[in-house]
Amino acid sequence: MPQVSLREGAHYPVVVVGGGQAGLATSWQLTSRGLDHVVLEADRVGSEWRNRRWDSFCLVTPNWQCRLPGLPYSGPDSDGFMLRDEIVAYLESYADSFDVPLAEGVRATGLEQTAQGFRLSTDSATVTADQVVLATGPYQRPKIPRLADRLPGGLQQLHSSEYRNPEQLEAGEVLVVGTGQSGCQIAEDLHLAGRQVHLVTGSAPRVARFYRGRDVVAWLDEMGYYAKGIDEFDDVDAVRFRVNHYVTGRDGGRDIDLRRFALEGMQLYGRLVDVDGGMLRLKDDLRANLDHADAVSEGIKDSIDAFIAARGIEAPEEARYQAVWEPVAEPESLSLQGISAVVWSTGFTRDDGWIRVPVFDGRGYPTHHRGVTSVPGLYFVGLPWQYTWGSGRFGGVADDAAYLAEQIVQRRMQTGVRWIAGLPRSQKTVA
């Protein structure tokens, strides 16, 4: 792939900020349409996967769902789950598969709208553009609750994005806070390594790995769940900020059953609400959290059963899940004595202060329709639920990138027609 060196004052028809899968997919779509552009990547291709995932990390969606435009997965294990280093290699080979005009090691530091388009400041040079695609992703700034500052000073603390392996942590028991995908998988990683884990749960749902002879993802894909547009839902905001279901692709894929972990010695608790010296204060919602996760998983199975029946599909019968453990009590506190490390699996916040264009709502979320903002020529790509459930995944980002590429082409044509019709030079957008 050709490496681009930014030149001070250079102008580009399109600048794509972010060289992950969303930015690269957008570049492929632009390239296939013959649109001149440049892709800015603050580090290297695949850096998010390379630098902010633990050693045993793997995808939770099967490899066949890796469908970046121009290079769908073609390896020997389509039903398997790529490991961290395989994901990085896939992205690197994707960038090498077409002439992506990539500028690595260039961090965007400021974006402003101008009369002619946009001015983009970077740590390398300041350039201008007619149109800009922001492919910086949703996982930008690690989020750690402020009460972490009140934990004992000698306690090792790190965010899930910094966790690599059990040996990285101080000897002793480990507290994992959060039961989204990262929290549950890290808790499993530590548990399998023989560490005593204390897991503070939340309200994240879970999903079964396999059901009635197939990966649940395969059933949901065939049922059209990943392609359903967000505008088909009545509760758009609730859907857009929905937490992902926890499951794992580890060792060929399996359920993550926190109840079984508890049966094997992992200590489970309700939500963390406060810190008082060396004592954690907890909410008595452990049972509710476990029941909710199970109910969501069983509800998905109900949908699969209905689909099988409606289509007359031959599929093996399967007994439903039975809880293997129930909490005897709801601990309202946990002493930190004996705990040597805390892993905060509490998600991320956006880091968009450098984008000085009015496209955010009161929560700091980009306002858009299918990635198209209210500011002409400015787009987002790679957001979870940007348009479908597949938007933030390897399986759906291609469709979003194709849609935005068409919007970019149309705007380029429209601004050209307006200029020909006689817009004053001072208002002209260079096409």
Side-chain angles (χ1 to χ4, degrees), residues 51-52 142 144 157-165 168:
N51 300 329
R52 300 218 291 185
I144 297 178
Q157 298 188 55
L158 66 160
H159 188 263
S160 60
S161 61
E162 301 170 297
Y163 174 76
R164 295 296 173 266
N165 53 61
Q168 171 192 16

Side-chain angles (χ1 to χ4, degrees), residues 24-360:
L24 293 176
T26 302
S27 178
W28 190 94
Q29 298 289 0
L30 295 174
T31 299
S32 68
R33 290 163 174 77
L35 292 176
D36 186 24
H37 65 285
V38 65
V39 179
L40 309 184
E41 166 54 43
D43 191 5
R44 298 163 56 196
V45 165
S47 64
E48 283 293 303
W49 302 95
R50 180 187 291 106
N51 300 329
R52 300 218 291 185
R53 302 294 188 275
W54 53 96
D55 294 348
S56 65
F57 179 89
C58 62
L59 292 177
V60 299
T61 51
N63 294 334
W64 57 261
Q65 263 211 346
C66 295
R67 300 182 287 224
L68 294 180
L71 193 69
Y73 178 83
S74 59
D77 191 13
S78 61
D79 290 322
F81 306 88
M82 279 193 278
L83 298 170
R84 179 193 63 188
D85 294 345
E86 294 172 325
I87 300 167
V88 173
Y90 175 52
L91 286 173
E92 290 177 334
S93 63
Y94 184 54
D96 288 334
S97 70
F98 67 102
D99 291 332
V100 50
L102 181 67
E104 289 184 311
V106 177
R107 180 177 300 277
T109 58
L111 178 66
E112 298 174 313
Q113 188 178 16
T114 69
Q116 289 75 36
F118 300 92
R119 179 185 300 108
L120 185 67
S121 302
T122 76
D123 56 6
S124 174
T126 296
V127 299
T128 57
D130 298 328
Q131 303 188 71
V132 174
V133 182
L134 298 171
T136 50
Y139 308 121
Q140 296 167 0
R141 180 183 296 167
K143 180 173 64 177
I144 297 178
R146 296 188 65 179
L147 56 77
D149 296 338
R150 292 189 273 125
L151 293 181
L155 191 62
Q156 182 185 13
Q157 298 188 55
L158 66 160
H159 188 263
S160 60
S161 61
E162 301 170 297
Y163 174 76
R164 295 296 173 266
N165 53 61
E167 292 72 31
Q168 171 192 16
L169 303 183
E170 301 286 346
E173 301 176 11
V174 183
L175 172 68
V176 178
V177 181
T179 50
Q181 286 186 357
S182 294
C184 288
Q185 291 174 38
I186 290 172
E188 180 190 46
D189 195 47
L190 292 163
H191 180 67
L192 293 177
R195 302 294 290 267
Q196 175 61 63
V197 177
H198 299 267
L199 180 61
V200 170
T201 65
S203 58
R206 74 181 186 93
V207 64
R209 178 77 275 168
F210 302 102
Y211 183 60
R212 299 195 66 176
R214 299 178 73 187
D215 193 303
V216 168
V217 169
W219 283 121
L220 295 177
D221 188 74
E222 185 175 342
M223 293 161 67
Y225 273 76
Y226 294 110
K228 188 176 181 180
I230 197 167
D231 49 14
E232 298 180 48
F233 294 86
D234 293 330
D235 53 344
V236 171
D237 278 350
V239 170
R240 181 158 278 157
F241 296 103
R242 191 176 290 168
V243 178
N244 285 326
H245 306 69
Y246 58 82
V247 69
T248 183
R250 186 166 179 160
D251 300 328
R254 55 172 173 258
D255 294 8
I256 289 184
D257 185 355
L258 300 185
R259 296 180 192 270
R260 183 163 298 281
F261 288 162
L263 200 63
E264 297 169 351
M266 186 182 294
Q267 300 298 305
L268 306 184
Y269 308 89
R271 189 184 304 273
L272 174 61
V273 294
D274 200 4
V275 175
D276 183 5
M279 192 73 68
L280 303 183
R281 302 300 178 190
L282 307 162
K283 189 174 181 180
D284 58 349
D285 60 355
L286 172 58
R287 183 183 297 273
N289 292 338
L290 295 174
D291 288 347
H292 169 70
D294 291 343
V296 172
S297 180
E298 294 305 293
I300 292 172
K301 292 178 182 178
D302 289 340
S303 298
I304 293 172
D305 285 342
F307 178 76
I308 290 171
R311 295 292 182 92
I313 298 172
E314 291 188 10
E317 296 293 334
E318 182 173 332
R320 286 301 191 91
Y321 172 79
Q322 296 292 322
V324 298
W325 178 86
E326 294 285 355
V328 176
E330 294 272 357
E332 296 183 359
S333 63
L334 169 63
S335 171
L336 290 171
Q337 186 174 1
I339 294 176
S340 60
V342 180
V343 181
W344 295 100
S345 300
T346 43
F348 296 80
T349 59
R350 298 192 60 82
D351 186 14
D352 295 322
W354 62 278
I355 303 172
R356 296 184 281 274
V357 183
V359 291
F360 301 98

